[in-house]
Structure formats: structure tokens, C-alpha cells
Amino acid sequence: MAVKDRVPVPELEPSVRKGNFLEVSQGYTFELAHQEAQRCLQCKVPTCVSGCPVGIDIPGFIKEIIKGNLKKSYEILKSYNYLPAICGRVCPQEVQCEGACVLNKIGKPINIGALERFVADFASQEGFEDEVGRLSFSEGISKELGNAPRKLTDLRSKKVAVVGSGPAGLTAASELGKLGVQVHVYEALHEFGGVLVYGIPEFRLPKEIVRREVLQLETLGVELIKNIPVGYAIHPKELLEKYDAVFIGVGAGTPKFMGIPGSELNGVYSANEFLTRVNLMKAYKFPEYDTPIKVGKRVVVVGGGNTAMDAARSALRLGAQVTVVYRRTEAEMPARRAEIHHAKEEGIEFLFLTNPVRYIGNETGKLVGVECIRMELGDPDESGRRRPVPVANSNFVIEADVVIEAIGTESNRFLLNQFPDLKTNKYGYIVTNEYGQTSIPKVFAGGDIVTGSATVILAMGAGKKAAEGIVKFLVY
Amino acid sequence: MSKIPKNTILSKQRLAKATYEFWIDNALVAENAKPGQFVIIRTSEKGERIPITIADTQENAFRIVVKAVGKSTIELCMKNAGEQLYDIVGPLGKPSEIDCYGDVLIIGGGVGIAAILPIAKALKNAGNKVRVILGAKTSTELILQDEFSFADKLVICTDDGSEGIKGTVVDGMMEEFNLENPNVIWSVGPAPMMKATSMIAAQYGIPIWVSLNAIMVDGTGMCGGCRVLIRKEENGVTKEEIKYVCVDGPEFDGRYVDWESFIRRLQQYKEEEQKALERFLEEVGDISWL
């Protein structure tokens, strides 16, 4: 058997998928997953595990696939990570577990993400998802019980509020729920999942999968409460009085704008707004769904990250001709290689070393063009990447009906303004120790509101670490 | 959580043509709402998130006044007492800056009259002299005027002169200015009205709070769709800032709002709104009774 090459994951053809929001990656069948699992060397000291922010026993779950014991495989996954169907789809495995796989030395690493997804989807199809979900509850308890039976009983009388139902909050909630802590998760939007439902498009992460995996938290006794703007409907003071500990995982949230002339024109979107309309509000199904969106014929997306790719590929699926402009070169793009590859396959055009300087509107205030300038790379900046500098007199105009700025986010003050005692750093993010504990001892935080924009799995790692910190805080 | 809102419509009353008052069961909003704040409502699983100002509260319930103008607001106005609203989130936005300013002029137009009512009451309770100007096209479209009896002065303006001064609230405003300039103004109503009153306030150098009815999605500072350009002159230098109506507002000093782009942004989805409305009317038929 060729160990060097991966078993390919079936994907929808670019020509088929560019006209709809169906999931691009079709996932492994059992036969394909089994073949791929057999490539795993089952290292005694597995480097892949050290590459995983939540420390999943990767050789362990893969071994069970080889044995054909998928229930056991799912149990292993679930004991480390309560959201495997989501992580299998959206983690940047190439820089984490797969990046650390020893097979990189001789060929392609094990497709750990696709295997994780396969096991999670299989559990759902076969209907043993909830059963295993509950199992991890009793296992979590008995594991702790062995260490400290009396303290565990204490833990079961404790109440914890989790603010925000994104990856960080959900993970913290699942970890605490497994130990029998009474957890209330508060979400301001009308769906649970945070960036998983408003940010990541259907074609990368079907919302049904998110809903399924999130609702599973209820098998642990976690209470999920939506439409609650904590800070306004529940004051932080009230939270501190009612709960033994609080976890804040509200995300980074607020979109940055370049602030160039014309930003107020109709047709200028932040990626957050564009994606929220499409994903959360299902504007791609307008008028069946009430929320509209503008795409027009030509869309320009500004930025080089995953959010830019998501926005560009969404706009394409809504029928537009899409150009991504990025001020550095392809090599510096922070987006996952697979996403850039998918975007190119689908026919998205890239203009590197290009930056917008002005948006041009018509007499009714509607965007008609984006004036750009050519850039070249100068000396390295504080990020270590070469700083892009404008080339004088190189301006040109791209005709466009819509422009989407995907240049990052900054700290959302929505909750923090109501929480003045909470220490933040100069960028407005919450200051914590390694266990997510903030300047207020019973308040913990994790995810983008601590680190600034990062990835789903890093937020989940932070949620897990904070849950540990909360348990320590509650019992000692 | 003991207080998970039911969002049941407790009562519904027709105040004017296609204009309805609702009292909605929601203890969280009722207990926490302050004047000037709003809620976001969805009427169905496929519905938009529509921001509506909170007009009053009582134990476990809050009040809104809605004018049926587009698909979503018509759908909302067709709901009846006993029915549940799909989603409600709130209170949202910064509360009005209630303080004792001395002489305050309150201007309300259309359904903005409902929004201005709790603000006017709170300003009165804070010890201000409160003069109120209410405007409508015609007397039958004038709402809630009886509830302003606490005001030190109440002026009514109708476009057709069917009640009070024949003219707009701007005419009423000029008459009040002739008597005495107020220390601060609140003006809530359709955007052109807020713009016109802001222009006059700017001429006289009087602060004027307007409540911007921007198009929103999440309402929590996450999407930036409701952004508004605020332009201030400081020491001869013009400073422009992008503010978010949902979290920095909804109230801003109208003298500094870039009204041109604000009003244009309100029209962003005009074609889509028309399409959605036509499609909806085909489904529900004649709504002239509303």
C-alpha cells in the first residue's frame, strides 16, 4: 500500500458547487476512512497529539477505525472534544495535528480532520451520538470521583454562567457539564454556535451539523438560553451574585473598516455583515427568507484570510464575478491553503499586491467602483512579514457593485462596557492567566475576546483550559 | 433561568391606520429597559431581525408601537393577542442621557411619538421643564397625545391643519424658539424630520438628540451594517468618525450626523423590500383594513 499518498476525500466538482451552498467536501465513506486509517503508524510517542490544542488521543481513535469499532472511536473523540463533527471540518489541521504527523517526512500526513469528521458523522447516522454523549458525562464524573469524591459532590452544587455560545463557550460548557456542574449558556443571537453559525458558510460547515452537535450539550444537563444580551438584559453584577463562576467567550466581534473615503456608500459591507446575512439570516434564500443581500454583477473582496475566502466564495455562489484584492503576495496570505485552492478552482480572481484607496459612488450613493493602488513589499514589519508599500501613481479602478472588507475584527465592547472592573489590555482584549482567570477571580474568559481573532480550535482549547481553571477555583 | 421570556402578545390595540400598540410578555426586557433603548424582533423562523424602540414597561411586559410599512412590519401588525413572537432580544442600545438640563424641547413625529414618550416622562421626573411638540399628517394619524398630559406644554402640528398648528413639527419648533430657546432637544420620527429639526438646532447651537432607525442585523456591534458617519468640527478641523447605531447609539447629536449618507443607507434594500412586500401581499391578500 502506498503510505506516501492520502486517500482522497470526495468533493463536489467546482462547476457543480459554485452554483449552490452544498458542502464542498463530501467526507469519507467507511471504506475510504478505513484505508486512510491504515496509513497511521500508531507512533508510541505521537507527535500529532502535541499538535492538537485540545490534546485528542489521535492514534487511539484512528486505531478503533482500523478495528471497525466506530463507537469506541467516537467515545475517544468525544472525551477530548465535544464538537468533533465541527472540528473535523474547520480546524486548520495542516498547522496542527497533521502538521506534526511523522508521515510528513516521507509523504502526506494522515488526513486526521477527515477521519474525525467521518467518525462524528457516522455516530450521528447510526444514532449512537447521544448515548455516547451521556457516557462521557458519567465517565467524566467517575474519573474525578476517583480523585476526590467529596469535592465532586461540591462541584455538582455549583452554578456557572457561560456568556457566548461560540467554540470557546461551548467547550467550557461541555467540560463543566461532564463533571455535573450546573451550566447556563447565554447567547445574544437567535441561534447557538457564534461564529460557527454567523461566520462560517454552509458549504464549509452545514448549519444542521452545528445545531446537532450543540444541542447534544443538553445530554450533559447544560441549559442553553438564546436571545439574551448579557450586559443589558442581565447585568454583570447579577451574574456575579447568582453564579459561582462566569466564563466569558463573546468573541472578538467588531469589524474593522479601512476607513477610506466612500466607506458609507451603499454596497460597502464588512465581511461580518455580509456573512451574517448569508449564513445566519439565510439571505441566499431571499425572498423565501426575509433578509436581503446585495451582490450585483461584480464583487471585490479585500483581505487574505479565511474570512475573505468565505466571503468571496459566498458572493460567487450568489452569482457574482469575484475579485479578491490583497495587499501582500499569495505567500503571505493567512488563509488556509485548501481554501485558497478551492476559491481558485471555483473561478475567483486574485489581485495580489493591491490595496483599495477609495470607493467610488454614483449620484444615488451606490458603489460603482473601487480605486486601488499597486503595492510592493518593503522591509519586514513587526509580524515578520515584509511590509507592503504603495507604488506611486499606480492607481486603477475596478468596476464593482459590492465591496466586502475582510480585514479583521477588534474587541467588541458590547459586554465589556458594562463590566468596567474587568482588566483589558491596550487592544481592549481581556487579560487572563493561563487558566483563563481574569482580574475578577470568579470570572474566566477565553477565545477571541482574550487573544484577538484566532481559530475555532484555539478558542476551544482556551475553553477547555478555562474549564479546568474554573473547577480548581470551585473546589479548592 | 427562571425568567426565560415567553414573548406572548398580551394585548393589541389599533392606534391609527396600520399603526398598532402591543404589550408583550418579557420580564427581562421589562425589568432592564431604560428610556431610549430598543429590542430586536423576529416574527417567524424565516424573518428578518427588526429593531423597534421600547415605548413603555410594566411588570413582566413591555410595549411597542409599530407602523405596518413593509413585509416584516405588516406581518408583525397582523399578529394578535395570545400569539407568541418568534424571537425577541433586548434591551439593546445605550439609554437616553436623562439629566436635569432645565428647559427641554421634545419633538415626536409618526410612530416616533411612542419612542419619545418614556424619554419625555423620564426628563420630567428628572426635574426638567418639558415642552412637547407632536406631529402627524392629519389628526387621525396622531397617536398617544393623551399620554403627554404631564408635559408643561403640548403643541400639536398637522400637515393639513386638522388639529393644532397647520404645518410640520419644524413650524412648531420655530414658534417655541420664538418664545424661549430650550437647553436641549430630543427629536424622534422619520429621518427627514430628524434631519430638518437637526439643521435648525445646529443654527441655534443647541444639542439635539435623535434616535436613528438604521438597518441592523445583529444589534450587538458585530456586523457594522448600521454604521453612520459622524462629522464634527473641532478647532477648525473636520473630524469624521464611523459609529455603530446599535452600540454607540441609537441616539446621536443630530447636528453631527451625516444625514445624506444616513438617509441613503436607509434606502439600500428598497428593491428587495418591494419584492418581498409584493410576494407577501399575494399570499395574504388585501391589507387595507390594517
Side-chain angles (χ1 to χ4, degrees):
Chain A
M1 194 187 73
V3 174
K4 278 163 70 175
D5 292 321
R6 292 177 154 194
V7 175
V9 182
E11 283 181 356
L12 289 184
E13 288 297 319
S15 59
V16 174
R17 69 191 194 227
K18 64 196 244 189
N20 59 55
F21 279 76
L22 297 175
E23 192 173 14
V24 171
S25 170
Q26 298 289 289
Y28 280 144
T29 57
F30 174 70
E31 288 69 28
L32 295 175
H34 194 252
Q35 269 181 46
E36 177 66 11
Q38 282 177 323
R39 292 178 62 229
C40 177
L41 302 178
Q42 293 288 313
C43 305
K44 286 278 176 295
V45 185
T47 46
C48 52
V49 177
S50 57
C52 174
V54 293
I56 295 176
D57 173 11
I58 294 164
F61 97 83
I62 293 179
K63 194 174 182 180
E64 297 302 329
I65 301 176
I66 299 170
K67 287 201 236 164
N69 191 354
L70 294 173
K71 196 166 170 183
K72 181 68 192 163
S73 181
Y74 184 63
E75 275 172 38
I76 294 171
L77 276 175
K78 204 74 174 171
S79 68
Y80 291 91
N81 167 11
Y82 219 69
L83 309 167
I86 294 169
C87 283
R89 288 172 164 85
V90 301
C91 278
Q93 288 97 2
E94 65 277 14
V95 294
Q96 293 173 339
C97 52
E98 293 173 15
C101 175
V102 292
L103 285 180
N104 280 300
K105 290 180 188 154
I106 56 159
K108 294 279 183 203
I110 300 288
N111 197 335
I112 301 168
L115 290 177
E116 180 180 27
R117 168 189 164 167
F118 163 72
V119 174
D121 286 358
F122 187 86
S124 165
Q125 280 154 28
E126 296 297 311
F128 57 74
E129 215 179 11
D130 282 358
E131 186 193 330
V132 173
R134 274 191 295 274
L135 194 69
S136 66
F137 170 63
S138 55
E139 275 191 345
I141 284 179
S142 54
K143 196 173 129 208
E144 286 290 321
L145 204 59
N147 302 336
R150 200 180 54 79
K151 280 175 179 163
L152 186 76
T153 324
D154 287 353
L155 213 49
R156 301 181 82 169
S157 65
K158 303 290 185 187
K159 288 167 81 174
V160 175
V162 170
V163 186
S165 72
L170 292 174
T171 304
S174 69
E175 293 297 316
L176 294 167
K178 281 180 194 173
L179 299 176
V181 178
Q182 299 171 44
V183 185
H184 291 168
V185 178
Y186 293 105
E187 170 55 51
L189 291 174
H190 60 262
E191 296 267 4
F192 299 106
V195 72
L196 305 171
V197 293
Y198 74 73
I200 302 177
E202 185 75 14
F203 55 84
R204 281 215 292 137
L205 177 64
K207 301 301 152 252
E208 197 43 49
I209 305 256
V210 179
R211 195 168 299 132
R212 193 181 83 203
E213 217 150 57
V214 168
L215 286 180
Q216 254 220 309
L217 285 173
E218 292 179 344
T219 62
L220 300 176
V222 171
E223 206 175 320
L224 298 161
I225 310 152
K226 60 183 181 177
N227 289 322
I228 309 285
V230 172
Y232 289 74
I234 302 176
H235 196 271
K237 218 167 73 188
E238 196 184 331
L239 278 188
L240 295 178
E241 282 164 14
K242 284 193 177 158
Y243 292 94
D244 299 296
V246 175
F247 176 78
I248 300 176
V250 294
T254 295
K256 279 187 210 161
F257 282 94
M258 300 188 68
I260 59 178
S263 299
E264 73 290 347
L265 289 169
N266 290 348
V268 179
Y269 283 105
S270 73
N272 268 15
E273 183 186 0
F274 190 83
L275 290 171
T276 302
R277 284 180 178 272
V278 173
N279 298 325
L280 178 71
M281 306 309 297
K282 299 204 168 16
Y284 65 93
K285 292 186 180 170
F286 179 87
E288 184 198 341
Y289 281 74
D290 291 344
T291 304
I293 192 151
K294 291 277 187 195
V295 274
K297 289 197 180 70
R298 287 206 60 167
V299 173
V300 171
V301 176
V302 185
N306 287 319
T307 310
M309 296 305 101
D310 285 345
R313 296 174 67 199
S314 297
L316 179 95
R317 282 162 172 74
L318 287 161
Q321 186 192 337
V322 183
T323 305
V324 172
V325 301
Y326 180 53
R327 62 197 181 123
R328 303 179 199 249
T329 71
E330 182 167 358
E332 285 89 14
M333 277 179 81
R336 294 179 71 182
R337 296 297 116 181
E339 301 307 323
I340 301 169
H341 172 72
H342 277 146
K344 284 185 172 172
E345 268 187 346
E346 289 163 9
I348 287 165
E349 182 194 0
F350 287 80
L351 286 180
F352 297 108
L353 293 169
T354 303
N355 210 27
V357 290
R358 184 168 70 100
Y359 298 131
I360 304 162
N362 67 9
E363 64 290 345
T364 63
K366 196 187 149 304
L367 181 86
V368 291
V370 178
E371 184 179 329
C372 295
I373 191 163
R374 295 270 179 216
M375 310 291 278
E376 58 189 7
L377 293 182
D379 296 332
D381 62 12
E382 61 274 13
S383 74
R385 296 181 297 180
R386 291 175 67 193
R387 187 192 301 276
V389 285
V391 177
N393 304 319
S394 65
N395 298 39
F396 64 100
V397 173
I398 308 173
E399 274 180 43
D401 306 293
V402 161
V403 64
I404 305 167
E405 288 194 7
I407 57 160
T409 56
E410 54 198 11
S411 170
N412 187 338
R413 303 294 309 171
F414 182 76
L415 171 64
L416 299 185
N417 283 343
Q418 311 293 317
F419 229 138
D421 304 341
L422 207 57
K423 202 175 150 199
T424 54
N425 66 17
K426 64 174 173 176
Y427 304 108
Y429 297 115
I430 300 175
V431 176
T432 71
N433 68 13
E434 60 170 318
Y435 286 101
Q437 194 169 29
T438 69
S439 57
I440 303 171
K442 73 185 325 191
V443 179
F444 292 72
D448 284 4
I449 195 61
V450 172
T451 56
S453 300
T455 60
V456 167
I457 192 72
L458 282 177
M460 292 176 63
K464 196 163 181 170
K465 201 78 186 160
E468 252 183 87
I470 290 171
V471 168
K472 284 202 175 84
F473 171 78
L474 291 177
V475 295
Y476 296 109
Chain B
M1 258 275 304
S2 51
K3 286 183 289 194
I4 295 178
K6 297 266 189 299
N7 300 331
T8 311
I9 298 170
L10 300 174
S11 69
K12 176 189 183 182
Q13 200 194 333
R14 189 178 193 262
L15 300 183
K17 183 170 169 52
T19 306
Y20 289 86
E21 170 203 271
F22 295 94
W23 277 95
I24 299 162
D25 179 15
N26 186 313
L28 278 179
V29 174
E31 283 169 24
N32 293 287
K34 295 185 182 72
Q37 290 187 301
F38 63 93
V39 290
I40 284 185
I41 295 182
R42 272 199 334 150
T43 49
S44 75
E45 195 200 338
K46 295 177 178 177
E48 287 183 278
R49 294 170 64 93
I50 42 176
I52 297 175
T53 310
I54 301 162
D56 200 356
T57 58
Q58 60 182 29
E59 202 186 339
N60 298 330
F62 72 96
R63 178 202 211 185
I64 53 170
V65 174
V66 186
K67 184 161 190 189
V69 286
K71 194 249 168 179
S72 298
T73 45
I74 293 172
E75 196 171 42
L76 180 52
C77 286
M78 288 172 75
K79 299 273 177 198
N80 289 309
E83 285 186 77
Q84 257 178 319
L85 295 177
Y86 205 78
D87 290 299
I88 294 179
V89 55
L92 295 168
K94 281 189 185 166
S96 307
E97 288 189 17
I98 305 299
D99 206 339
C100 188
Y101 300 96
D103 185 353
V104 183
L105 185 64
I106 303 275
I107 305 169
V111 282
I113 293 173
I116 211 114
L117 178 60
I119 301 169
K121 269 189 201 162
L123 286 164
K124 178 67 190 171
N125 291 337
N128 293 286
K129 176 186 171 192
V130 173
R131 288 186 277 169
V132 177
I133 302 172
L134 303 180
K137 281 203 187 81
T138 179
S139 63
T140 52
E141 289 186 19
L142 193 68
I143 59 169
L144 303 176
Q145 67 184 104
D146 299 343
E147 296 191 36
F148 285 88
S149 54
F150 62 86
D152 295 283
K153 186 174 182 187
L154 179 62
V155 178
I156 304 291
C157 307
T158 51
D159 293 358
D160 61 359
S162 51
E163 192 171 341
I165 297 172
K166 183 174 190 300
T168 67
V169 292
V170 172
D171 299 304
M173 186 181 179
M174 294 315 296
E175 281 195 19
E176 288 308 305
F177 273 36
N178 285 337
L179 298 173
E180 198 179 358
N181 284 356
N183 300 103
V184 58
I185 306 166
W186 258 265
S187 171
V188 183
M193 178 202 112
M194 293 195 283
K195 179 186 174 183
T197 50
S198 294
M199 297 296 163
I200 294 166
Q203 280 170 26
Y204 286 79
I206 301 171
I208 178 166
W209 290 103
V210 295
S211 181
L212 297 181
N213 52 332
I215 298 173
M216 290 183 190
V217 188
D218 66 293
T220 61
M222 194 266 287
C223 86
C226 64
R227 65 190 185 276
V228 56
L229 196 60
I230 300 293
R231 186 181 292 118
K232 266 183 203 173
E233 293 255 345
E234 268 168 30
N235 309 322
V237 185
T238 308
K239 223 179 94 185
E240 285 188 350
E241 250 188 309
I242 290 177
K243 292 280 187 188
Y244 293 174
V245 172
C246 66
V247 288
D248 300 319
E251 293 185 2
F252 294 90
D253 191 328
R255 294 177 297 170
Y256 309 128
V257 171
D258 180 49
W259 289 102
E260 197 190 330
S261 64
F262 176 75
I263 290 171
R264 278 194 323 224
R265 284 185 69 80
L266 285 177
Q267 312 292 321
Q268 263 181 98
Y269 298 103
K270 218 175 167 183
E271 294 158 35
E272 288 82 0
E273 283 161 7
Q274 187 57 33
K275 191 171 163 189
L277 179 61
E278 281 165 15
R279 192 171 175 269
F280 184 63
L281 291 181
E282 260 173 44
E283 195 185 305
V284 298
D286 176 46
I287 52 144
S288 57
W289 53 271
L290 205 62

